Amino acid sequence: MSSSYFDADDLPGPSTRRSTNREVYISAHDSGYGASVCSEEEPERPTLVSNNTVPLPLIPGSMLNSTSEDSAQRQFQYQVQQLHYNENRAALGRSITTVMNMLKELQSVNRDWPAQYPAFTSVNRPGNTADTSDRPPQFRRAATDLSLQSSNPDKSTQASLSTSSEIPRLMSSQLSHEFNVLKIDLKLGAVTPAELVCSLEKSAISSLLDGKISQALKHLLSLRERIEDTSSKVLVTGDLNAGKSTFCNALLRRNLLPEDQQPCTNVFCEVLDALINNGVEEVHAIPHGATYNRQDERTYHIFPLSELERLAASPEIYVLLKIYIEDKRPPEQSLLRNGVVDIALIDAPGLNMDSMQTTAVFARQEEIDVVVFVVSAENHFTLSAKEFIWNAAHEKAFIFIVVNRFDNIRDKSRCSRLILEQVAKLSPRTFCHSDDLVHFVSSNQVPKLDPDDDHDGDDNDDYGDDGANNNDNGVLDFENLEHCLRNFVLEKRAISKLAPAKTYLLNVLGDLEALASYNEQVSQNEVQRLTNELASITPAYEVTLRNSVKISEEVDGNIEKLVTSVYDHTRYKLENVIAEIGTKAYVEYPGIFSIYSYAADTRDAMLHSIQQSVVECEEFARKKTTGGFTVLQNLGLKHFQGTAYYTEKIFNNGLMFSRRKDLLARGSVSAPIEFSDYIDFHQKEKISGIGMTLTLATAASTGAIGLPSSVARGFLSATSIIGLRNLRKWIMPALGLALLCGAVYVISDMPNVVPKKLAKKLRQELQSVDYIHTNSERISAECRKVLKYPAEDLRIAFQQLLDEQATQKNERTKQMSHAEESLRYFSGLYKDSRNNRQMISDLDLEGVINAVL
């Protein structure tokens, strides 16, 4: 590569020439490998002003070695840089609070209205021909890498606009880039994560997304604490037996941490300057479950440095070892006692030792400002190493990579090429500045200092008796590594301290923007779909409602018409039958001696005749009801055939009138036979008139009564002719004969009198119980009752259809309300994410130096 992100001449220590702005803060536009990754530009960044500042730290020792004029200029430059650092730190703190509020609101919305999780397509930038078969789809973090800053605002703005116009917000339901922070990465056999996520229920995806949001909120809290903390934490991690402890000892120039061919560091070891501990060198061992407080000795156990090897092998007792040592080297050489900020050097256990410690290292990196990843030149990057770097890439665009034990490699050029190719895949930004961030060293070749000797800045024999080894290439390479690391941690604190927060915020906002964009489109489609469905459901509901009312009225009218016709027919039939009883002989007259039997049989025959007419009326009602049932069923099949709302039924009209409720059948009309039923009242009057005549004649003959003279004279004349004596002799036989003739007449007229008398009695009794109306009403009510069932089935079918359509309408209306609310929310989230992302992208963490120089 033709340019370097960190110019070596700007490192602390003597310099043979002045560094220019181009050399110190150079961009990566001239990088060769992965040029597409390093060639993006960003819009012009506005100046942010904040009153929230921290005290200015001491000026690095390198600034004190120049002339007074240069020193004053560099001191002024550093103060301006620190002011700009504080302004950016405050702006990032406010942005973290804003993003946390956005995530909390999304988390709340996601529980009520599960967010749709999109499928993704991998993005391969043009010009990047590196093989990506052994790594996940390329992360796309636009404007998250600090090396992409441009000093040409117009060109940057045009590039930004052209980039945004080329990539659509949706591409066939697949976003143009993959999630980083909110990525749901599931693994199950040969099934891809995208396919596995798509196969999950919305509730499961919502739960997984909720967990990712909670993790992001926790990480943002950690970021806020980190940018507010004036100290810096450097995590040294890597695979098992990669030489991490050896590398830390080389940085400290003393044999402090235990070294062995076997893993010997099983506990996190945090090395700090002894000045923090009142200048006392010792180890504070923090047990599991304790919260460390240096002022409270109950929270830790104190051990001498000689016990460090034993303590580092006791992970079951201690969770962290805080090691306070005194570095007597001058500030321009010491990493811990640098005169600028407090540095904590943390040696972590190997990644692939066990899952518990690997998980602990993964969690610990979220609290770290700078990650120094130590990889063995013999083994390169293992799977756990790649996973760690991918996870760290969520916030750290730059990772300091140390390839240790490089002296053991015979073909060093091939080893360098292979490792750089892997770095290009794992961390593109790190590869773009590999001259400063990727170092091939042999830590075991670095000479150590005697901790009992005193060293000052003027002593050129900093390495004791082994000072001649400075000419060795291995030592020079390590010194170059030290200078780059010091420059990255101290001089470039905006990169090492604030850039992870900016990168993580941009990744989170990029994920929110992508998620909001996708869900906004989904909500728009949902609103359109529900609008179309409501447009079809509402008219159908109104048509069904009108048909229901119309059919109900039609059914009621048909039933009432049929019932009325049955009632009228029954009444007419019974009236005729009852009126005609007694006009004909029902049974043969058996004689005077069986007159009672004749009367009883006649009565029973009359009742049977009436009952038979009732049966005929019932049969007529059956036929009419069957026809009415068929009409109603055809009406139901017409509207609901083939649906589950209406089922065709078979009507058995033989079950009608199965329970006899006729008054005659129940014995309510008995018509008992009486003596008067044998004699007609009109014949009795005739007999009475004959008897009265005989009585008058007798009385007249005896002179009991007075008669008119003419009647008397006529009677006397007849008497004189017949003779009174003869008259008296024949009067009684005549009377007897008359009575006999009357009795004979009455007896002979009984076959005619009995039917008339019984018919009259039956009519009177039937009329008293309103027999005709009662039976007509009974038969017509039975018809109404039977027809009520198919009519009710028809009404129920319409009601079920109406209820379902109403339910669909209400559900669609409710879903429409939710969809519109979701659309408003995700539209606002998309705009807020985009605006905040642009604002954070505009934060120029180093631009003030260019202006000063």
Side-chain angles (χ1 to χ4, degrees), residues 616-632:
E616 293 176 358
C617 292
E618 290 177 349
E619 186 64 27
F620 175 81
R622 286 191 181 94
K623 294 180 180 179
K624 296 289 289 186
T625 304
T626 301
F629 182 88
T630 303
V631 171
L632 294 179

Side-chain angles (χ1 to χ4, degrees), residues 56 66 289 305 329 369 438 530 814:
L56 293 176
S66 305
L305 296 181
R329 291 181 296 167
D369 300 312
V438 182
L530 293 172
K814 185 177 180 180

Side-chain angles (χ1 to χ4, degrees), residues 622-787:
R622 286 191 181 94
K623 294 180 180 179
K624 296 289 289 186
T625 304
T626 301
F629 182 88
T630 303
V631 171
L632 294 179
Q633 185 161 261
N634 291 336
L635 199 59
L637 294 176
K638 176 182 177 181
H639 290 86
F640 301 103
Q641 189 171 15
T643 66
Y645 305 111
Y646 189 82
T647 303
E648 185 176 2
K649 297 180 180 179
I650 299 176
F651 176 54
N652 185 7
N653 58 10
L655 298 177
M656 292 181 65
F657 312 109
S658 58
R659 298 180 60 183
R660 306 301 300 176
K661 295 183 180 181
D662 184 17
L663 295 177
L664 298 181
R666 294 185 302 175
S668 300
V669 179
S670 58
I673 301 174
E674 300 175 352
F675 179 76
S676 59
D677 296 333
Y678 300 102
I679 302 172
D680 190 359
F681 291 108
H682 298 288
Q683 299 294 334
K684 185 177 180 180
E685 291 175 356
K686 294 178 181 179
I687 296 173
S688 299
I690 296 173
M692 181 62 69
T693 302
L694 294 175
T695 301
L696 291 174
T698 304
S701 63
T702 59
I705 58 173
L707 295 173
S709 59
S710 58
V711 176
R713 283 194 297 271
F715 180 75
L716 290 177
S717 297
T719 301
S720 61
I721 296 174
I722 299 173
L724 182 59
R725 191 172 185 177
N726 292 331
L727 182 60
R728 290 180 178 177
K729 181 180 178 180
W730 291 98
I731 191 68
M732 293 307 294
L735 290 173
L737 180 61
L739 291 175
L740 179 61
C741 291
V744 171
Y745 176 78
V746 169
I747 292 172
S748 64
D749 197 38
M750 281 185 181
N752 298 323
V753 172
V754 169
K756 294 179 181 180
K757 296 287 288 184
L758 291 176
K760 183 178 181 180
K761 180 181 290 188
L762 284 175
R763 279 192 291 268
Q764 290 177 351
E765 192 167 347
L766 291 175
Q767 185 176 5
S768 64
V769 296
D770 201 6
Y771 180 79
I772 296 176
H773 172 72
T774 301
N775 275 277
S776 300
E777 184 66 26
R778 178 182 64 83
I779 294 174
S780 61
E782 183 75 8
C783 296
R784 181 183 287 105
K785 176 183 176 182
V786 171
L787 293 177

Side-chain angles (χ1 to χ4, degrees), residues 121 123 140 161-177 513-514 517-518 521 830 834:
T121 179
V123 173
R140 182 181 185 273
L161 292 175
S162 63
T163 302
S164 61
S165 63
E166 291 174 359
I167 301 177
R169 288 173 56 185
L170 284 175
M171 299 190 308
S172 302
S173 301
Q174 292 185 335
L175 299 182
S176 60
H177 70 282
E513 183 179 338
S517 176
Y518 181 79
Q521 186 63 46
Y830 175 79
R834 192 176 184 86

Side-chain angles (χ1 to χ4, degrees), residues 2-6 21-31 38-41 146-151 432-433 846 850:
S2 60
S3 63
S4 172
Y5 187 69
F6 308 107
N21 181 54
R22 166 69 178 173
E23 293 170 331
V24 177
Y25 298 100
I26 191 167
S27 66
H29 294 172
D30 297 332
S31 298
C38 307
S39 62
E40 298 179 5
E41 297 177 342
L146 302 177
S147 61
L148 306 182
Q149 299 171 359
S150 172
S151 59
C432 287
H433 312 290
E846 294 187 290
N850 294 332

Side-chain angles (χ1 to χ4, degrees), residues 176-191:
S176 60
H177 70 282
E178 194 174 53
F179 280 164
N180 293 311
V181 179
L182 300 181
K183 179 181 179 181
I184 299 178
D185 192 6
L186 302 178
K187 298 178 181 179
L188 181 63
V191 182

